[in-house]
Amino acid sequence: MENKHPASDNTKLTRREALKLAGVGGLGLILGATGVKSLLPSASSSEKAAAAPVLADGIIPFYGKHQAGIITPMQDFICMGAFDLTTASLDDVRKLFQSWTAAAARLTAGKTADEESGSPHLPPADTGESAGLNPMRLTITFGLGASFFDERFGLSGKRPAALVDLPRFNSDEIRKEWSGGDVVVQVCANDPQVAFHALRNLARIARGKAVLHWVQEGFQRTGAADPSGSTPRNLMGFKDGTNNPKVSDPAVADEVVWVQPSDEPAWMTGGSYMVMRRIRMRIEVWDRSALDDQENTFGRHRDSGAPLGKTNEFDDLELDRKDANGNPVIPVNSHVALAHMEGKVKILRRGYSYSSGLDARTGQLDAGLLFICFNRDPRKQFIPMQQKLASVDLLNEYITHVGSGLYACLPGASEGGYIGDTLF
Amino acid sequence: MENKHPASDNTKLTRREALKLAGVGGLGLILGATGVKSLLPSASSSEKAAAAPVLADGIIPFYGKHQAGIITPMQDFICMGAFDLTTASLDDVRKLFQSWTAAAARLTAGKTADEESGSPHLPPADTGESAGLNPMRLTITFGLGASFFDERFGLSGKRPAALVDLPRFNSDEIRKEWSGGDVVVQVCANDPQVAFHALRNLARIARGKAVLHWVQEGFQRTGAADPSGSTPRNLMGFKDGTNNPKVSDPAVADEVVWVQPSDEPAWMTGGSYMVMRRIRMRIEVWDRSALDDQENTFGRHRDSGAPLGKTNEFDDLELDRKDANGNPVIPVNSHVALAHMEGKVKILRRGYSYSSGLDARTGQLDAGLLFICFNRDPRKQFIPMQQKLASVDLLNEYITHVGSGLYACLPGASEGGYIGDTLF
Ligand code: HEM
Ligand code: HEM
């Protein structure tokens, strides 16, 4: 997440006032029921949409050059699922993506998944649990896993070279039930019920063509809990997202996130590669470690989020600073020192906390980070970064990667088209 | 949940204005960052507190005659855990409840679990993930399971007669990992991170004395998604909570919820019995059933929430109405017809939806209702009701009870005292 200017409790406006203000100033402010936020408008939406204000409980346009949910400012909740195709016909796949596109466009606009038939003797077209709820900035983002490009649909020749099989990283304990899948659907919204509803209805629409392979829910603090919109904290208590690239700058987004026309294959131009890692935290071990160990692990102060030895969250890292004894102020094996990659390799992180009850086997909390990132080419970005982290990151003492996926997120669709129409 | 008057989008006020208004009018309005709600103030709080307005992101007082979180208007999220005591000393148990009380009073007031030591060489007193967040109407409610009264602490003679072992109900498929526990802690808040944070810190404080036995998270739609505050819908798409007793009336609360001085034992006076049932929904089967089957199952219309044949949610049930053929308009085996118990037996429901990813064994969504209810005597209220429902309710085709617990929720504590001081 990007730096956001805090707004005082007295800057709260009515929706009507907010719309008026945005109309007059054209500031691109995002205003919502939970207060004023200076989040940048989703650059993934069409130009028309980007000029309009987006409310925290409002609509993020579905159609556009890029899919929404990638450089869109983060929502508070995620409900994400991977599907395995049960059909062997490319025509069925095409139809599925057409139906999914139509439903996603409706759902993100705050509508039901489909028009009701009106007949009480038929199953309702929509499952109903989001009736009367605001659109809540719902986004739905589709991606294809490597298995999608096996022999079933005659598309194996089209598999992008960047859609590699992720290597096994040091100390990985990846479990199949939280990994892979032919198709991934990332659903994000400022409300958990709205997000669940969308994924569930997409699963329903897929009946006979695809089944769910895994489902993961995630959260962060809600806008109402932090109206100032400061960087959310992860379950280790640290601000997470501070040094994300500023993708509100289109040049940065093109550099870090979007597949460019010069990249291969052409059907991925305007798309992006998503990495998902379910990373379990050893909460109980972490909670027994001293504050200075915790801060050295990340290389940042817990309270302020500032780099070690500095005072403000957004101060420069300056990894070459030394203390009185000539030792680096930020340990070389700390998470940020390593992940910084000398400023040469960047990814866009968009992760959520997860908490999934108790691990019945160990009696420990099953909680951690649903790590999600987007990058233009994982071979040059995520993979070298994770290879470095997996081998020496001080954080490894407290985490285990238990789920994994890499997906080619298709470019956006324009009205009349559908997600996947550049490929199928 | 009770009927709430809708508020338009233009009634949004600044916090300062809201406090001023409430101060002048003394209307007991609950106003918050997410808009104006006419929720009733928590009658479980002390008189002083009940007179003050409670913001959706504000504080519910912890101390009072009754524990908060019982007749308190529902929050949007729950994070609930059951603990097993690992100590065999009653003195340890007493100390644990004293520490828990102190921490719960701090946490619900929006503070850290404890003061920080200030030493970076020690583990932080608080795990940090709620730093800077609003109190979010956090409530923490403690209860004792039947196993608490075994031989370990010399308290077996004090086990309330109402704290029975729940019978096995028809078609129960109860699993140990979601059931029982010596102590239950119900944490509710308008933010999932605030709720998680509280339970986690209470678990941390229990180290060496108690371990978690199960943890369950739940949600409903957030206030921002439905600023009008209408009755939330469950994952079957139906409004859930319509015909809950109006416990804002102290006479109703005394009748339905609170253990009275005339009841046994004296240390439970002002307390209540909580039933927890993890009820899995067969989502995929439900989603294939016709609208009229769904409506006949509940005995209410899906869209409006009205009793079958009526138009408004809060219209009277009138179970004796007949259609042209002389058949009851509301099927006798529908959920509401049965649960109504001829108006003679009532419980206070306070449940949440849960969604816990995919059931790896079946490939189906593991989602449903975290049913929670409070009653004065489960032998006279929950048990006969559930016996009736379990045998003939049309809803049984679509649900399975997989977790279960009955807990004696202690009376509230006054400042200087602690939860459990009437017993230990
Ligand atoms: C549970 C696992 C993880 C946790 C708790 C975590 C947490 C953090 C925190 C607290 C920061 C500092 C604040 C910020 O700039 O956001 C950070 C930075 C960062 N993390 Fe992670 N992270 C985790 C896993 C990963 C993984 C798997 C990757 C990529 C392979 C990654 C990449 C980064 C990057 C690129 C930065 C910014 C570094 C810079 O300052 O340039 N993190 N992370
Ligand atoms: C997944 C399981 C369940 C679902 C989906 C469910 C759903 C509903 C719905 C939609 C209503 C109608 C609206 C309302 O008045 O709230 C209702 C009413 C009610 N339910 Fe349930 N319920 C479930 C389980 C239970 C259980 C286990 C009990 C108690 C043993 C119970 C007791 C009641 C009562 C007392 C009413 C009000 C009846 C009246 O109108 O007087 N429910 N429920």
Side-chain angles (χ1 to χ4, degrees):
Chain A
M1 298 285 325
E2 318 222 314
N3 185 5
K4 290 160 236 151
H5 314 155
S8 95
D9 262 333
N10 286 312
T11 50
K12 211 153 287 158
L13 305 167
T14 66
R15 225 174 167 183
R16 197 167 294 168
E17 282 168 349
L19 287 163
K20 223 166 103 188
L21 178 79
V24 172
L27 297 170
L29 278 177
I30 296 185
L31 304 140
T34 54
V36 176
K37 295 193 183 175
S38 58
L39 297 169
L40 287 151
S42 160
S44 63
S45 50
S46 67
E47 295 230 331
K48 187 185 84 227
V54 181
L55 302 164
D57 54 359
I59 294 171
I60 309 251
F62 177 75
Y63 292 109
K65 188 178 161 199
H66 307 295
Q67 287 195 75
I70 299 177
I71 65 168
T72 310
M74 274 181 77
Q75 298 97 322
D76 301 337
F77 297 92
I78 187 169
C79 184
M80 193 179 182
F83 290 86
D84 286 332
L85 294 158
T86 49
T87 176
S89 129
L90 180 58
D91 197 48
D92 269 355
V93 173
R94 199 179 289 119
K95 280 185 193 135
L96 176 60
F97 275 84
Q98 284 163 346
S99 314
W100 269 349
T101 300
R106 289 181 57 96
L107 290 165
T108 52
K111 297 181 195 155
T112 53
D114 202 354
E115 305 271 358
E116 291 299 341
S117 67
S119 163
H121 309 310
L122 291 176
D126 183 280
T127 60
E129 71 271 26
S130 74
L133 302 186
N134 285 328
M136 304 310 288
R137 299 187 69 238
L138 178 68
T139 58
I140 302 176
T141 316
F142 297 90
L144 305 173
S147 57
F148 184 88
F149 296 92
D150 62 16
E151 303 304 317
R152 282 171 293 170
F153 312 107
L155 291 174
S156 54
K158 299 229 177 173
R159 174 173 170 179
L163 189 64
V164 295
D165 296 316
L166 286 180
R168 188 189 175 280
F169 299 101
N170 204 16
S171 77
D172 267 3
E173 293 184 21
I174 303 301
R175 283 162 63 170
K176 225 176 139 184
E177 75 224 59
W178 294 320
S179 305
D182 294 340
V183 181
V184 79
V185 183
Q186 175 199 256
V187 179
C188 299
N190 278 344
D191 184 273
Q193 189 143 333
V194 168
F196 177 87
H197 170 260
L199 184 66
R200 173 195 189 169
N201 281 274
L202 295 177
R204 204 172 164 228
I205 289 168
R207 198 174 296 146
K209 302 197 181 78
V211 294
L212 281 165
H213 177 89
W214 55 255
V215 171
Q216 311 245 15
E217 284 113 359
F219 63 94
Q220 53 171 23
R221 52 95 187 103
T222 58
D226 183 14
S228 70
S230 55
T231 311
R233 293 178 185 272
N234 60 34
L235 296 185
M236 288 172 161
F238 279 68
K239 296 191 179 213
D240 200 332
T242 306
N243 221 353
N244 238 349
K246 307 285 169 290
V247 290
S248 51
D249 175 348
V252 174
D254 280 349
E255 176 67 32
V256 176
V257 175
W258 303 126
V259 176
Q260 298 298 309
S262 55
D263 301 329
E264 291 287 326
W267 63 264
M268 268 298 284
T269 302
S272 187
Y273 295 91
M274 172 205 280
V275 180
M276 181 285 298
R277 306 281 287 182
R278 179 169 162 131
I279 310 180
R280 168 105 179 248
M281 292 175 179
R282 294 200 188 92
I283 299 269
E284 290 84 353
V285 179
W286 179 258
D287 285 355
R288 274 191 289 255
S289 64
L291 180 61
D292 49 10
D293 283 340
Q294 296 188 353
E295 296 192 330
N296 283 328
T297 298
F298 282 115
R300 286 184 174 268
H301 290 294
R302 189 175 81 147
D303 272 10
S304 62
L308 286 185
K310 301 216 172 178
T311 44
N312 297 312
E313 180 185 358
F314 295 99
D315 286 344
D316 270 352
L317 279 184
E318 294 188 275
L319 292 169
D320 46 9
R321 267 174 318 131
K322 303 273 184 326
D323 66 14
N325 303 321
N327 296 319
V329 176
I330 298 184
V332 289
N333 286 350
S334 66
H335 183 65
V336 298
L338 296 166
H340 192 62
M341 301 290 279
E342 289 141 18
K344 288 178 197 143
V345 178
K346 290 180 195 295
I347 56 172
L348 178 67
R349 288 167 289 143
R350 211 177 182 285
Y352 289 84
S353 295
Y354 77 86
S355 163
S356 186
L358 217 61
D359 183 330
R361 288 177 312 159
T362 61
Q364 310 254 292
L365 289 168
D366 184 3
L369 179 71
L370 182 54
F371 173 91
I372 292 167
C373 79
F374 293 93
N375 49 178
R376 189 175 151 189
D377 189 338
R379 293 168 300 176
K380 299 182 189 152
Q381 294 165 273
F382 173 77
I383 293 173
M385 188 182 282
Q386 176 57 15
Q387 253 151 355
K388 198 165 161 186
L389 292 177
S391 57
V392 284
D393 191 350
L394 288 170
L395 187 56
N396 294 335
E397 197 178 329
Y398 306 104
I399 61 172
T400 312
H401 290 237
V402 295
S404 177
L406 174 63
Y407 310 92
C409 290
L410 298 143
S414 44
E415 239 157 309
Y418 65 94
I419 300 288
D421 59 7
T422 57
L423 171 63
F424 312 137
Chain B
M1 297 284 327
E2 319 221 316
N3 186 3
K4 290 161 234 150
H5 315 156
S8 96
D9 262 334
N10 286 313
T11 49
K12 211 152 287 158
L13 304 168
T14 66
R15 224 176 166 181
R16 198 168 293 168
E17 281 167 353
L19 288 163
K20 221 164 104 190
L21 179 79
V24 172
L27 297 170
L29 279 175
I30 295 185
L31 304 139
T34 53
V36 176
K37 295 194 182 172
S38 59
L39 296 170
L40 287 151
S42 160
S44 63
S45 51
S46 66
E47 294 230 330
K48 188 184 84 229
V54 180
L55 302 163
D57 55 358
I59 295 172
I60 309 247
F62 178 75
Y63 292 108
K65 186 178 163 200
H66 306 295
Q67 287 196 74
I70 298 177
I71 64 167
T72 310
M74 273 182 78
Q75 298 97 323
D76 301 337
F77 297 92
I78 188 169
C79 184
M80 192 180 183
F83 290 86
D84 286 332
L85 293 159
T86 50
T87 177
S89 128
L90 179 58
D91 197 49
D92 269 357
V93 173
R94 199 178 289 120
K95 281 187 192 134
L96 175 60
F97 275 83
Q98 285 164 345
S99 314
W100 268 349
T101 300
R106 290 182 56 96
L107 290 165
T108 52
K111 296 183 197 156
T112 52
D114 201 356
E115 305 270 0
E116 289 300 339
S117 67
S119 163
H121 308 310
L122 291 175
D126 183 280
T127 60
E129 71 271 25
S130 74
L133 302 186
N134 285 327
M136 305 308 290
R137 300 186 69 238
L138 177 69
T139 57
I140 302 175
T141 316
F142 298 90
L144 305 175
S147 58
F148 184 86
F149 295 92
D150 62 15
E151 301 305 316
R152 281 171 295 169
F153 312 108
L155 292 174
S156 53
K158 301 228 176 173
R159 176 173 169 179
L163 189 64
V164 295
D165 296 315
L166 286 180
R168 190 189 173 282
F169 299 101
N170 204 15
S171 79
D172 267 3
E173 294 183 20
I174 303 301
R175 283 162 63 171
K176 225 177 139 183
E177 74 225 61
W178 293 320
S179 306
D182 294 339
V183 182
V184 80
V185 182
Q186 174 198 257
V187 179
C188 300
N190 277 344
D191 183 273
Q193 188 142 331
V194 168
F196 177 87
H197 170 260
L199 185 66
R200 173 197 190 168
N201 280 274
L202 296 177
R204 205 175 162 226
I205 289 167
R207 197 173 297 146
K209 302 198 180 77
V211 294
L212 281 165
H213 178 91
W214 55 254
V215 172
Q216 311 245 19
E217 283 112 359
F219 62 94
Q220 53 172 24
R221 53 93 187 105
T222 58
D226 183 12
S228 71
S230 54
T231 311
R233 291 177 186 273
N234 61 34
L235 296 185
M236 288 172 160
F238 279 68
K239 296 190 181 216
D240 200 331
T242 305
N243 222 353
N244 239 350
K246 306 286 170 288
V247 290
S248 51
D249 176 346
V252 175
D254 280 347
E255 176 68 30
V256 177
V257 176
W258 304 126
V259 176
Q260 299 298 309
S262 55
D263 300 328
E264 291 287 325
W267 63 262
M268 269 297 285
T269 302
S272 187
Y273 295 91
M274 172 204 281
V275 180
M276 181 284 298
R277 305 283 287 183
R278 179 169 163 132
I279 310 180
R280 170 104 178 247
M281 293 174 179
R282 294 200 190 90
I283 299 271
E284 289 84 354
V285 180
W286 178 258
D287 285 355
R288 275 191 289 257
S289 64
L291 180 61
D292 49 10
D293 283 340
Q294 296 188 355
E295 296 191 329
N296 284 327
T297 298
F298 282 114
R300 284 182 175 270
H301 290 296
R302 190 176 79 148
D303 273 8
S304 62
L308 285 185
K310 300 217 172 178
T311 44
N312 297 313
E313 180 184 358
F314 295 99
D315 286 345
D316 270 352
L317 280 184
E318 294 189 274
L319 293 169
D320 46 8
R321 266 173 318 132
K322 303 270 180 335
D323 65 15
N325 303 322
N327 296 318
V329 177
I330 298 185
V332 289
N333 286 349
S334 66
H335 182 66
V336 299
L338 296 167
H340 192 63
M341 302 289 280
E342 289 140 19
K344 288 180 198 143
V345 178
K346 291 181 194 294
I347 56 172
L348 178 67
R349 289 168 291 142
R350 210 177 184 285
Y352 289 86
S353 296
Y354 77 85
S355 163
S356 186
L358 217 63
D359 183 330
R361 288 176 312 163
T362 60
Q364 309 253 293
L365 289 169
D366 184 3
L369 179 71
L370 181 55
F371 173 91
I372 293 167
C373 80
F374 292 93
N375 50 179
R376 190 175 149 189
D377 188 339
R379 293 168 300 177
K380 301 183 189 152
Q381 295 165 276
F382 172 77
I383 294 173
M385 187 181 283
Q386 175 55 16
Q387 253 150 357
K388 195 163 164 191
L389 292 178
S391 56
V392 284
D393 191 351
L394 289 170
L395 187 56
N396 294 335
E397 196 179 329
Y398 306 104
I399 61 172
T400 313
H401 290 236
V402 295
S404 177
L406 173 63
Y407 310 93
C409 291
L410 298 143
S414 43
E415 238 156 311
Y418 64 95
I419 300 288
D421 59 8
T422 55
L423 171 64
F424 311 138

